[in-house]
């Protein structure tokens, strides 16, 4: 059956929608369904959930409603059940005998609110399934409980309308306990399902709760006040005190602090933050106090983006879900047909009372075949798995990428920012006239006046070593050559060998060092003091500490690794040698990167692309699975379906482990759900009755149906404990 799928906000009467902006709710199985508030999916009947969890962990109103219905149903169903079981309990048997004809009436009074009030949501969902031509599990539940209640009510109010085929010992049997108990059991399953789904967003809500509710804002006149976080704007100056949390993403302007960034980096040692350093909203400042400038607020902060990305992934479905959707689309009509055949077969061939047995068997088929386990199999694994990934620094925008990731056989990696740190650092110092730290201090004093990236590396190297630069006079900049100036009374030059020595060659020893450093991909800066060659600096982009280990593991796993970079071949090959990468393509443009990825895919390779920059975005979009470094450009993170918050290749290993675990979990759930229905429907239809005289009671069928759903939920929750 091809269901009519309503568009955005198409469900529910307009009057039911709040006038103000409300939280958008969606269906885990059918993300195209949107509604301004809680409710049920008109396609599958599953309870809708918020598109993104809210901070504070407020209780889900849907759970509260279902729990209230459950408790009312449980209280009223217990005496109905005891009356039905009276034949097995002597004191109750005597009570039932004394009540006589009032037994059925008492059951009618008690069971009616259970079925018609407590179970009312199931009838609403069943009607929606018919209205939208999308038969689902609630079609079967409402059909089974509704038929049992209607039949029993008619048998109580007007027993004379029933022929002899419906009678047992002269009376028409009633099944109020069946309708009531099934309703309560389904309510139990709904409450447990809602609770389990609520726990899957707990990690995201915990992240949102890390952001403090207020921020200490500094006014233009220097006054300070605590304001609500929603009132903070980009450019505001904020004070972060010792023991306080950083309110939003920004940059330190004054002061210093030791900030615990373990929620983002996983590093337990606090990071020292000073002027110019970036800080992340929600991280904890331990010691020290600093003033920061707000850069990204509200939905632009890292915390908010994490929640947004994971929420999008929770609403996406991998291709394996399409199999479950196709099966479900024909499953319910088939079950209805089987129930009809069962009823006819028992009414013709069954023992007396034939019609009573036929009704009981047909209801059991409807109840036990409810495809709730089949419907939960994929979305529950996605909900739990993406939450687990977020806690490990792996943000998954599209669940389809996980299914593709386990089949990836080729990994294409960018160099700068992916394999390396993405910023040049001083890696080698060779000094012939003075101690190395003195030469570094003098060079940093000179380079403070330059805007060249290599100059910044020299200055950062000196500051990192605790060296204080001195003043400079007579600063000169010579494009293509270098810089010169007077520091502490000495004339200092820094740049190419020809520039610093006036055209004369460097000493043999220094030139040999320079050649060796260039062969390793380092950029060499020569230094001269008062016209004499004084040494040189090797500047390079450091390789990330985890890169070699991660690539070794991926290669052992059978992946082909290819480096694509716009950098020069000498530097690229030097990095590739240190990382054991055999295939390197250097000097390629962004469009050429995308063309290479496209060519690999046309050859039959399943390609994952890892990058961090704007120049990587086309290739990330072209790959089967794009993997963006969380430390890179926004366009890369927006393009790729997978983002690694920590920006290291260990994240690829974690993502592959998560993908394999999630797909294995989904397969386990689908296998169980399919096997359950294949085995249990014939049992409910009564195939064992001719041999063993066993007929499955609808109450047992309902318990088995609920147990199958809980098994799927429990199996999915195991993903919360996997090691990544």
């Amino acid at each position: 059956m091809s269901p009519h799928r309503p568009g955005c906000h198409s469900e529910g009467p307009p009057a039911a929608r709040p006038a103000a902006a409300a939280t958008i709710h969606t269906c885990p199985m059918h993300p195209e369904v949107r509604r301004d508030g809680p409710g049920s999916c008109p396609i599958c009947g599953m309870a809708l959930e918020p598109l993104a969890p809210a901070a504070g962990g407020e209780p889900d109103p849907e759970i509260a409603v279902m729990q209230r219905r459950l408790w009312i149903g449980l209280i009223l169903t217990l005496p109905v059940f005891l009356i039905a079981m009276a034949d097995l309990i002597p004191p109750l048997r005597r009570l039932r005998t004394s009540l006589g004809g009032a037994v059925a009436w008492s059951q009618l009074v008690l069971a009616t609110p259970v079925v018609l009030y407590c179970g009312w949501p199931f009838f609403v969902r069943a009607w929606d399934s018919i209205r939208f031509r999308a038969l689902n599990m609630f079609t079967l539940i409402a059909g089974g409980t509704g038929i049992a209640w209607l039949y029993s009510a008619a048998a109580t109010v007007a027993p004379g309308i029933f022929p002899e085929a419906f009678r047992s010992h002269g009376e028409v049997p009633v099944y109020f306990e069946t309708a009531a108990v099934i309703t309560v059991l389904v309510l139990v399953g709904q409450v447990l399902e809602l609770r389990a789904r609520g726990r899957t967003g707990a990690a995201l809500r915990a992240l949102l709760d890390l952001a403090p509710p207020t921020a200490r804002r500094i006014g233009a006149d220097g006054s300070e006040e605590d304001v609500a976080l929603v009132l903070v704007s980009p450019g505001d100056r904020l004070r972060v005190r010792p023991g306080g949390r950083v309110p939003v993403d920004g940059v330190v302007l004054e002061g210093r602090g030791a900030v615990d960034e373990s929620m983002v980096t996983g590093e337990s040692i606090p990071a020292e933050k000073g002027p110019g350093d970036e800080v992340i909203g929600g991280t904890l400042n331990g010691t020290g106090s600093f003033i920061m400038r707000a850069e990204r607020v509200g939905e632009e902060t890292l915390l908010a983006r994490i929640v947004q990305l994971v929420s999008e992934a929770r609403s996406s479905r991998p291709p394996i879900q399409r199999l479950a959707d196709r099966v479900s689309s024909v499953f319910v009509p088939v079950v209805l047909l089987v129930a009809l055949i069962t009823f006819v077969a028992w009414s013709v061939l069954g023992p007396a009372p034939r019609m009573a047995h036929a009704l009981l068997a047909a209801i059991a088929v409807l109840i036990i075949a409810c495809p709730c386990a089949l419907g939960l199999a994929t979305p529950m694994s996605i909900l739990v798995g993406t939450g687990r990934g977020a806690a490990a620094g792996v943000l998954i925008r599209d669940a389809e990428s996980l299914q593709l990731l386990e089949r990836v056989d080729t990994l294409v990696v960018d160099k700068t920012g992916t394999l390396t740190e993405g910023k040049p650092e001083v890696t080698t110092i060779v000094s012939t006239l003075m101690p190395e730290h003195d030469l570094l201090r003098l060079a940093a004093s000179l380079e403070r006046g330059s805007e060249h990236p290599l100059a910044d590396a020299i200055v950062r190297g000196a500051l990192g070593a605790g060296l204080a630069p001195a003043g400079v006079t007579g600063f000169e900049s010579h494009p293509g050559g270098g810089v010169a100036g007077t520091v502490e009374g000495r004339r200092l030059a820094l740049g190419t060998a020809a520039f610093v020595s006036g055209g004369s060659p460097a000493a043999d020893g220094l030139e040999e060092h320079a050649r060796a450093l260039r062969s390793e991909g380092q950029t060499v800066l020569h230094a001269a003091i008062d016209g004499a060659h004084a040494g040189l600096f090797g500047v390079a982009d450091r390789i990330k500490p985890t890169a070699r280990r991660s690539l070794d593991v991926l290669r052992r796993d059978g992946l082909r690794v290819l480096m694509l970079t716009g950098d020069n071949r000498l530097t690229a090959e030097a990095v590739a040698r240190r990382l054991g990468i055999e295939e390197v393509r250097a000097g390629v443009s962004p469009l050429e990167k995308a063309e290479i990825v496209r060519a690999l895919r046309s050859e039959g390779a399943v390609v994952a692309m890892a990058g961090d920059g704007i120049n990587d975005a086309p290739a990330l979009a072209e790959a089967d699975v794009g993997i963006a470094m969380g430390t890179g450009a926004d366009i890369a993170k927006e393009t790729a379906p997978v983002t690694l918050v920590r920006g290291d290749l260990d994240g690829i290993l974690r993502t592959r482990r998560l993908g394999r675990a999630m797909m294995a979990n989904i397969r386990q759930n689908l296998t169980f759900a399919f096997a359950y229905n294949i085995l249990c429907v014939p049992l409910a239809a009564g195939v064992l009755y001719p041999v063993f005289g066993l007929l499955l009671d609808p109450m047992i069928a309902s318990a088995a149906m609920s147990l199958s759903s809980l098994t799927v939920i429990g199996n999915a929750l195991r993903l919360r404990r996997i090691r990544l």
Side-chain angles (χ1 to χ4, degrees):
M1 178 173 292
S2 177
H4 165 67
R5 295 176 182 259
C8 182
H9 304 292
S10 64
E11 314 83 345
R17 299 174 192 162
T23 301
I24 300 299
H25 284 61
T26 186
C27 173
M29 288 183 64
H30 303 95
E32 68 271 23
V33 173
R34 295 289 191 271
R35 186 171 179 174
D36 295 331
S40 59
C41 175
I43 300 173
C44 66
M46 182 176 288
L48 303 180
E49 61 182 24
L51 196 59
E58 295 182 0
D60 186 349
E62 185 77 8
I63 295 180
V65 171
M66 282 295 179
Q67 284 179 330
R68 182 171 65 250
R69 294 181 187 272
L70 172 59
W71 282 111
I72 293 173
L74 189 61
I75 292 170
L76 295 177
T77 298
L78 183 59
V80 175
F81 179 76
L82 291 176
I83 292 172
M85 297 294 106
D87 290 340
L88 303 178
I89 307 173
L92 292 179
R93 189 187 310 137
R94 291 191 294 270
L95 176 62
R96 177 170 179 168
T97 302
S98 65
L99 290 174
V103 170
W105 283 97
S106 63
Q107 288 182 300
L108 174 62
V109 171
L110 292 169
T112 297
V114 176
V115 176
L116 299 186
Y117 168 72
C118 300
W120 183 249
F122 308 147
F123 290 101
V124 172
R125 296 176 188 183
W127 171 245
D128 285 341
S129 73
I130 297 172
R131 187 160 58 100
F132 292 113
R133 301 190 299 279
L135 303 183
N136 54 48
M137 58 178 280
F138 294 102
T139 313
L140 304 181
I141 292 171
T145 58
I147 290 172
W149 181 84
L150 284 172
Y151 165 81
S152 301
T156 302
V157 175
I161 66 174
F162 290 89
E164 191 62 32
F166 283 87
R167 299 178 181 274
S168 176
H169 304 293
E171 295 182 355
V172 182
V174 294
Y175 301 102
F176 287 117
E177 79 284 356
T178 296
V181 170
I182 288 173
T183 300
V184 170
L185 287 173
V186 175
L187 283 169
V188 170
Q190 288 292 294
V191 169
L192 292 177
E193 175 193 327
L194 289 169
R195 286 181 177 177
R197 284 163 56 184
R199 286 197 297 271
T200 63
L204 299 182
R205 289 192 295 272
L207 284 177
L208 284 175
D209 291 340
L210 289 175
T214 61
R216 187 77 173 174
R217 186 167 62 186
I218 303 175
D221 58 355
S223 62
E224 299 184 10
E225 63 173 338
D226 290 327
V227 298
L229 198 62
V230 294
L231 299 180
V232 175
S233 302
D236 285 351
R237 291 193 305 152
L238 309 173
R239 182 179 297 280
V240 180
R241 290 170 286 196
R245 289 196 177 273
V246 178
V248 296
D249 297 357
V251 177
V252 177
L253 298 177
E254 304 174 21
R256 306 191 72 85
V259 181
D260 180 0
E261 296 184 327
S262 57
M263 72 165 195
V264 176
T265 65
E267 177 58 56
S268 58
I269 301 175
E272 293 291 335
K273 299 291 183 178
D277 291 335
E278 293 187 354
V279 287
I280 299 170
T283 54
L284 180 64
N285 181 37
T287 59
S289 175
F290 58 85
I291 297 173
M292 61 174 286
R293 180 180 65 247
E295 297 283 346
R296 293 178 295 277
V297 302
E299 295 181 353
E300 299 301 319
T301 64
L302 178 60
L303 282 178
R305 288 172 63 82
I306 287 175
V307 173
Q308 178 185 1
L309 287 170
V310 177
S311 297
E312 289 174 1
R314 293 168 69 190
S315 297
S316 65
R317 293 178 295 167
I320 196 170
Q321 173 64 21
R322 297 168 194 159
L323 172 63
D325 289 347
R326 288 196 298 269
V327 172
S328 296
S329 66
V330 299
F331 180 75
V332 174
V334 168
V335 168
L336 293 174
L337 180 61
V338 171
L340 179 61
I341 293 173
T342 299
F343 181 85
V344 172
W346 276 90
S347 63
V348 174
L349 304 174
R354 289 179 179 177
M355 298 304 294
H357 280 100
L359 183 65
L360 205 64
I363 292 174
V365 169
L366 291 176
I367 297 301
I368 204 166
C370 285
C372 45
L374 186 63
L376 289 171
T378 299
M380 280 304 302
S381 296
I382 292 174
L383 290 173
V384 180
T386 52
R388 176 67 183 92
V394 177
L395 308 183
I396 302 160
R397 184 198 302 274
D398 181 5
E400 182 175 352
S401 61
L402 289 175
Q403 184 168 351
L404 290 171
L405 194 60
E406 68 172 356
R407 297 193 291 111
V408 164
D409 54 27
T410 302
L411 174 64
V412 177
V413 290
D414 171 52
K415 180 183 73 68
T416 306
T418 303
L419 299 175
T420 65
E421 298 288 356
K423 56 184 179 182
E425 296 182 357
V426 176
T427 56
T428 306
I429 302 176
V430 178
S431 180
T432 58
L433 299 181
M434 61 183 65
E436 292 178 357
H437 64 273
D438 286 339
L439 182 62
L440 177 60
R441 184 179 65 84
L442 294 176
S445 303
L446 181 62
E447 291 286 21
R448 279 201 304 175
S450 174
E451 297 179 352
H452 196 280
L454 296 182
D456 183 58
I458 297 291
V459 174
R460 283 189 287 104
L463 294 177
L467 304 175
V472 180
T473 59
F475 178 82
E476 301 173 2
S477 177
H478 300 266
V483 293
T486 301
V487 181
E488 295 180 345
R490 288 180 285 189
R491 187 65 177 171
L492 181 66
L494 197 65
T496 65
F499 171 74
V500 302
S501 61
S504 59
D508 289 341
L510 286 177
E511 187 56 39
E512 185 177 335
H513 271 296
R515 284 195 297 269
L517 294 177
R518 292 192 191 97
S519 68
E520 295 175 1
Q522 297 189 40
T523 300
V524 177
L525 293 177
H526 291 262
I529 297 178
D530 295 329
H533 222 122
L536 53 83
F537 297 92
V539 180
D541 188 0
R542 290 186 184 274
I543 293 175
K544 292 181 177 180
T546 62
R548 179 62 191 250
R549 182 183 70 250
S550 300
L551 290 177
D552 286 344
V553 173
L554 292 168
R555 279 189 289 262
R556 286 197 299 270
D557 206 22
L559 266 68
R560 170 190 177 190
V561 180
L562 170 65
M563 179 199 292
L564 297 183
T565 178
D567 209 343
N568 66 78
R569 175 162 294 277
L570 185 64
T571 301
E573 289 181 344
V575 172
R577 282 196 302 272
R578 295 179 61 185
L579 294 175
I581 300 175
E582 297 181 357
E583 296 183 71
V584 180
R585 301 190 190 184
V588 294
S589 68
L591 293 181
E592 288 172 334
K593 286 186 177 183
E595 290 172 0
I596 292 171
V597 171
R598 189 181 305 116
L600 290 170
R601 294 183 63 196
S602 67
E603 296 169 1
V606 182
V607 181
M609 166 71 190
D612 78 314
I614 296 174
N615 62 328
D616 298 317
L620 289 170
E622 188 65 42
D624 292 292
V625 181
I627 303 172
M629 301 294 115
T631 52
D634 287 344
I635 183 62
K637 289 178 280 189
E638 292 294 335
T639 303
V642 177
T643 299
L644 309 180
V645 173
R646 302 174 194 172
D648 59 49
L649 293 187
D650 270 354
I652 298 180
L653 302 180
R654 290 191 290 271
T655 306
R656 279 173 66 83
R657 294 189 194 107
L658 177 63
R660 287 172 173 170
M662 284 182 63
M663 294 312 303
N665 195 269
I666 290 173
R667 292 189 184 99
Q668 291 164 5
N669 285 346
L670 289 176
T671 298
F672 175 81
F674 284 134
Y676 165 82
N677 284 295
I678 290 172
L679 291 175
C680 290
V681 169
L683 293 178
V687 295
L688 296 181
Y689 188 83
V691 180
F692 300 102
L694 296 178
L695 182 61
L696 193 64
D697 188 279
M699 288 187 294
I700 303 299
S702 180
M705 180 269 295
S706 298
L707 181 61
S708 69
S709 299
L710 295 179
T711 301
V712 166
I713 293 172
N715 188 52
L717 289 175
R718 291 193 305 113
L719 289 171
R720 299 167 65 188
R721 299 189 296 272
I722 62 171
R723 294 187 60 184
L724 298 178

